Amino acid sequence: LLLNFVLAESALELVPEGMRRSPAVVADAKRRGKEPSMILLDRSFHHSAMERLEEGEKRGRPDLVHQALLSVTCTPLYLDGKVRVFVQTCAGLTLELEKRTRIPKNYIRFRGLMEKVLMERPGGGLVKVFSASMKELVRRTVSPDEVFGLSVRGERMKPEALASAVVAARNPCVLVGGFPHGHFSKETSATIDRLIRIEERPLEAHVVAARVVYEVEKASDVTND
Ligand SMILES: C[S@@+](CC[C@H](N)C(=O)[O-])C[C@H]1O[C@@H](n2cnc3c(N)ncnc32)[C@H](O)[C@@H]1O
């Protein structure tokens, strides 16, 4: 089994061009000794500057992306090299982790790594960055036989049942939203074959990610034994 895990429309990006002169951004960049173009957009520090940002409620939460990535990359399934992780960002870039790559557990270090790769956009190595629409990423790069999108708006399914369907696929892909509020865009929705709700309540992305990976781990153990 190889599970393709996509954190979709993730709230991870460098401060966009139109916001780089905002006082909150300038002050934060100065405090960190960096240029405004070199720092991650972060609602904790740039809230006032984000008021008029398009789709602002979905953006500026790199902490949430960090949590979700740790939830996936610390699991036995990932450590066994059976999860391929993509972080597709709201700004149209995709980060792909080389199999088994560990990401910094410390947020400050994670932020530094993300700022570096988003600026340099390496074409290879432990974290590869490339520009692709959601459709291109899913259909061309991942090329799955079935895409499972996780959302409170989906059909109710127990996580165990979802995992059985995932392991039954030849090249499954799971999409979890890497944003704090809102829902998948039309473009993302168009790539999804089955939209699944694993709980009545809306949950944090890191909880959903951890549950899905754990259930797939259990289901694939049964299949492999
Ligand atoms: C914080 S939520 C985004 C908020 C949004 N209202 C929602 O729950 O879909 C982040 C992501 O976690 C996943 N998620 C959250 N609650 C879920 C649920 N009950 N069932 C399935 N996926 C869920 C979705 O992929 C969602 O995009």
Side-chain angles (χ1 to χ4, degrees):
L1 168 95
L2 180 63
L3 171 66
N4 294 286
F5 181 92
V6 179
L7 197 63
E9 300 176 43
S10 300
L12 176 81
E13 64 187 308
L14 294 170
V15 171
E17 208 165 343
M19 279 181 58
R20 291 181 192 157
R21 292 212 199 106
S22 304
V25 169
V26 172
D28 185 36
K30 196 170 170 201
R31 194 172 48 84
R32 294 189 49 209
K34 291 193 165 200
E35 291 296 320
S37 59
M38 295 163 71
I39 64 173
L40 292 185
L41 180 67
D42 189 329
R43 182 170 291 283
S44 318
F45 305 108
H46 313 142
H47 182 72
S48 59
M50 289 178 68
E51 261 164 25
R52 278 191 300 268
L53 193 64
E54 200 188 326
E55 301 254 42
E57 76 288 346
K58 282 174 99 171
R59 297 166 67 179
R61 289 298 305 274
D63 56 324
L64 186 156
V65 174
H66 185 222
Q67 292 163 359
L69 282 181
L70 286 178
S71 286
V72 175
T73 59
C74 294
T75 60
L77 197 70
Y78 179 82
L79 298 172
D80 281 349
K82 292 181 178 160
V83 190
R84 200 175 168 202
V85 176
F86 298 91
V87 180
Q88 190 258 346
T89 75
C90 54
L93 290 176
T94 296
L95 285 64
E96 179 180 356
L97 302 189
E98 172 74 23
K99 262 191 200 166
R100 295 193 176 94
T101 297
R102 310 298 301 273
I103 58 152
K105 297 216 174 62
N106 178 281
Y107 176 70
I108 306 287
R109 287 186 187 277
F110 171 77
R111 180 176 68 181
L113 174 67
M114 291 300 110
E115 288 171 344
K116 186 172 157 46
V117 297
L118 287 174
M119 284 187 44
E120 295 174 3
R121 301 191 188 179
L126 297 180
V127 185
K128 184 162 111 183
V129 179
F130 54 94
S131 168
S133 69
M134 192 65 182
K135 191 173 162 197
E136 284 166 345
L137 169 66
V138 172
R139 295 292 159 216
R140 208 176 296 157
T141 309
V142 180
S143 191
D145 52 343
E146 195 148 20
V147 180
F148 302 88
L150 277 291
S151 166
V152 275
R153 288 182 168 176
E155 55 165 306
R156 177 78 170 98
M157 203 171 178
K158 288 202 166 125
E160 295 87 339
L162 166 64
S164 304
V166 167
V167 300
R170 185 183 43 77
N171 187 31
C173 180
V174 167
L175 257 59
V176 172
F179 45 83
H181 304 288
H183 298 281
F184 289 135
S185 67
K186 268 198 192 139
E187 195 202 341
T188 303
S189 301
T191 66
I192 295 172
D193 298 311
R194 296 183 70 179
L195 196 66
I196 311 288
R197 173 173 92 241
I198 57 164
E199 204 350 286
E200 291 312 319
R201 268 169 294 200
L203 300 167
E204 294 292 324
H206 71 94
V207 176
V208 175
R211 289 187 181 205
V212 170
V213 172
Y214 180 51
E215 293 301 337
V216 169
E217 210 170 274
K218 286 195 290 182
S220 63
D221 265 358
V222 173
T223 318
N224 295 338
D225 284 346

